[in-house]
Amino acid sequence: MNTPERLSELYPLFEHATIPELEAMLARAETREEKILWRSLLNLKFQLAQERIVGERLL
């Protein structure tokens, strides 16, 4: 998963994924590292949604 090609595939997936889709990926994750990755991406998606609602940049 740490090759540049795989990482470049991850961003479009994240960009177009919905929160329920990311939650499903987290639920299907098999390893601890995968769970950490999907939880981090889910938290980032929540933070970006919060920024849109509040209208303030948090990052």
Side-chain angles (χ1 to χ4, degrees):
M1 180 68 157
N2 58 1
T3 64
E5 296 81 25
R6 288 296 308 249
L7 294 175
S8 66
E9 294 171 9
L10 189 58
Y11 181 73
L13 174 69
F14 167 75
E15 187 176 35
H16 299 292
T18 64
I19 289 173
E21 289 171 336
L22 289 173
E23 288 173 335
M25 295 296 283
L26 174 61
R28 286 194 304 263
E30 296 179 1
T31 65
R32 181 176 183 275
E33 290 78 13
E34 287 176 324
K35 289 179 190 298
I36 290 169
L37 171 69
W38 293 115
R39 173 58 63 197
S40 297
L41 292 176
L42 185 58
N43 286 338
L44 180 57
K45 188 65 92 167
F46 279 130
Q47 189 170 359
L48 293 171
Q50 182 181 11
E51 284 181 358
R52 282 192 297 276
I53 293 167
V54 174
E56 179 181 330
R57 293 193 78 151
L58 302 174
L59 293 175

